[in-house]
Amino acid sequence: MLALDDVNISFRAGEVHAVVGENGAGKSTLMNILSGTYTPNGGSIVFKGRNIQFREPRDAQDAGIAMIHQELSLAPSLSIYENIFVGRLKKNRFGLTDREGMIRASLGYLSELGVDDLDPRREIRSLSVSQQQLIEIAKAVSLRSDILIMDEPTSSLTKNETVYLFKIIGELKAKGVSTIFISHRMDEVFQISDRITVMRDGRYVDTKQTKDTNEREVVSLMVGRSMDRQFHRADNSYCNDENPLLEVRNLSLKNRFQDISFTLHRGEILGLTGLVGAGRSELVQALFGIDERPSGTVLIEGEPVLVKSVGDAIGLGIGLIPEGRKTQGIFREMSVRENISIASLPGKCSGLFIDRKGESRLVDDYIGKMRIKTPGPEQKIKFLSGGNQQKAILARWLANQPRILILDEPTHGIDVGAKAEIYELMDSLAKEGIAILLISSELPEILTMADRIMVMSEGRINGILCKDEASQERIMELAIPRKGA
Ligand SMILES: Nc1ncnc2c1ncn2[C@@H]1O[C@H](COP(=O)(O)OP(=O)(O)OP(=O)(O)O)[C@@H](O)[C@H]1O
Ligand SMILES: [Mg+2]
């Protein structure tokens, strides 16, 4: 199987060139070749009129090509400034490491990105996924290269952070720097790019001037068919149901969230939205037994329960698919099959033996249903594209059939075609009676999928809307922190 086959593509100085395609289309592979991370089996790269060959990322960097990787690649135990200056430590005039100089320069790079509240001495591991992504960007921008490759740079950025990033891309463009921009978000692609190249199945499909095309055309080039189908979820009103499966009363955790109360019902999809930093992920992590234990009460079927650990949560039938696929949940050296079935095996045993047939049926079923692009179930998961790894982790928890399923930004990094499949799966799980708590920042997703929508702001629930009273405007009103409150 070829990850890339005979791709011909050109990038101009000072242009923003978007590269789009479904999960596994070959976008990251192509960029890894351009940035010296992979060596191609054939073909050539011509850069500034000369044939070049990169043996390692350093060669590409020296030639003027820098890349922001899709999977964050920072060293977790090093500080922000050490990560920014890795491999090119600043020396002072006495030949000693110029720590202060690097810290000062890091502050400068961060403030270009609109980040003024991060101490460059902080360890990477103490940062949120979105902050780490900003550090990656700061590092790549600081290299002052001629071509800057960004592989899904915005996947966990807030709207505001994205605005800053786009401003920087614009400034770089004015200086003649080209940006190669990969994203599954069509609105961003159309906002920022001059040209768009579409890839499919490891092949080059076409390049369009952004102003001469539209979303519909690009999406149909991507998937190779026209995509008229929009997912619709039948109305399902839970606003008056008396018997919740899960009830949360006055849950508080110092500095994270305060006084959270809500109910979740069988067959319901409860949306949880708000601006990034509102405390959503912290809340669900507490419900799942990660981190400190909050004060307050959690009841399942009317009985108070104690969730002191992740084991307790799983035992009670709670499943969590966390945000940020690289850091959490993937067993890189294990196969796709093992990654999918690992959480559901105990229930699938017959007698003393693991039911291998049942296991492979289940795994094949999910690979098909979710269109996970892999040569087969035995492939090591680390060889799948980013989006396909994400789908396998989703499959793991869907296959596990918990009573309560918490999904934290489940469609980040998932292509437009596969999104609809995931929505369908969520809907059918809800129909089977599973209660779903869906965290999402994408308002169209929340409005399509959720029966009720809970809006958080600054660690508190600002309101819970029924589907028929919800709109983007209403949600935004509740999500924006109140001045002086
Ligand atoms: N190291 C590797 N060894 C073998 N196959 C690989 C390797 N890396 C990627 N592939 C395969 O190459 C194909 C292209 O993957 P790539 O990561 O380039 O996709 P992508 O377009 O970036 O997708 P996504 O949107 O999910 O990030 C996939 O089928 C993937 O499974
Ligand atoms: Mg990729």
Side-chain angles (χ1 to χ4, degrees), residues 21-29 31-32 67 70-71 151-152 182 184 325 384-388 413:
E22 288 186 293
N23 295 132
K27 306 179 294 293
S28 299
T29 306
M31 298 310 147
N32 279 317
M67 173 157 175
Q70 176 175 18
E71 313 294 353
D151 196 352
E152 295 189 42
I182 299 179
H184 289 292
R325 59 181 164 250
L384 264 53
S385 79
N388 283 296

Side-chain angles (χ1 to χ4, degrees), residues 412-430:
H412 266 177
I414 301 267
D415 68 54
V416 277
K419 259 186 198 177
E421 317 289 329
I422 288 171
Y423 293 156
E424 253 161 48
L425 267 169
M426 278 169 62
D427 185 50
S428 66
L429 288 175

Side-chain angles (χ1 to χ4, degrees), residues 58-236:
R58 198 53 206 254
D59 295 345
Q61 246 177 49
D62 293 344
I65 301 179
M67 173 157 175
I68 300 167
H69 288 268
Q70 176 175 18
E71 313 294 353
L72 303 179
S73 60
L74 302 169
S77 59
L78 295 183
S79 65
I80 293 177
Y81 80 85
E82 285 166 314
N83 269 283
I84 292 181
F85 283 97
V86 72
R88 49 182 184 125
L89 291 183
K90 259 189 203 282
K91 295 271 160 66
N92 63 18
R93 60 201 160 93
F94 308 111
L96 300 170
T97 310
D98 182 9
R99 211 172 107 90
E100 292 312 312
M102 289 190 285
I103 293 174
R104 225 174 312 117
S106 301
L107 277 173
Y109 298 139
L110 288 171
S111 90
E112 283 178 29
L113 277 165
V115 182
D116 296 313
D117 57 351
L118 275 183
D119 182 345
R121 278 167 291 227
R122 267 178 71 178
E123 266 188 25
I124 293 296
R125 71 166 109 242
S126 73
L127 306 178
S128 69
V129 179
S130 124
Q131 288 169 326
Q132 293 189 27
Q133 203 156 30
L134 288 167
I135 305 302
E136 285 263 359
I137 295 169
K139 176 178 162 186
V141 171
S142 78
L143 292 169
R144 309 287 186 233
S145 22
D146 302 310
I147 298 184
L148 193 51
I149 301 172
M150 303 188 171
D151 196 352
E152 295 189 42
T154 60
S155 64
S156 49
L157 295 188
T158 63
K159 284 265 174 334
N160 227 338
E161 291 162 345
T162 304
V163 170
Y164 271 103
L165 176 65
F166 283 7
K167 208 176 113 225
I168 289 193
I169 294 177
E171 288 165 8
L172 292 172
K173 180 172 158 170
K175 291 182 195 153
V177 175
S178 336
T179 301
I180 303 176
F181 182 82
I182 299 179
S183 174
H184 289 292
R185 298 184 174 161
M186 288 301 134
D187 51 338
E188 293 180 351
V189 164
F190 276 85
Q191 188 190 335
I192 194 75
S193 72
D194 302 305
R195 293 196 296 160
I196 302 173
T197 287
V198 181
M199 295 184 63
R200 190 189 330 134
D201 298 328
R203 289 199 177 79
Y204 169 88
V205 176
D206 204 354
T207 302
K208 300 269 179 199
Q209 295 281 341
T210 307
K211 60 176 173 26
D212 299 335
T213 184
N214 56 45
E215 236 176 82
R216 244 184 115 83
E217 185 182 33
V218 169
V219 169
S220 71
L221 286 171
M222 269 169 63
V223 298
R225 58 196 144 90
S226 72
M227 278 275 304
D228 296 322
R229 200 169 54 120
Q230 278 261 336
F231 186 79
H232 277 292
R233 195 169 131 79
D235 273 341
N236 193 358

Side-chain angles (χ1 to χ4, degrees), residues 368-384:
K369 258 202 242 176
M370 302 184 75
R371 297 212 229 146
I372 299 175
K373 201 172 169 220
T374 173
E378 298 309 322
Q379 176 81 324
K380 279 193 183 172
I381 197 165
K382 67 175 179 191
F383 294 129
L384 264 53

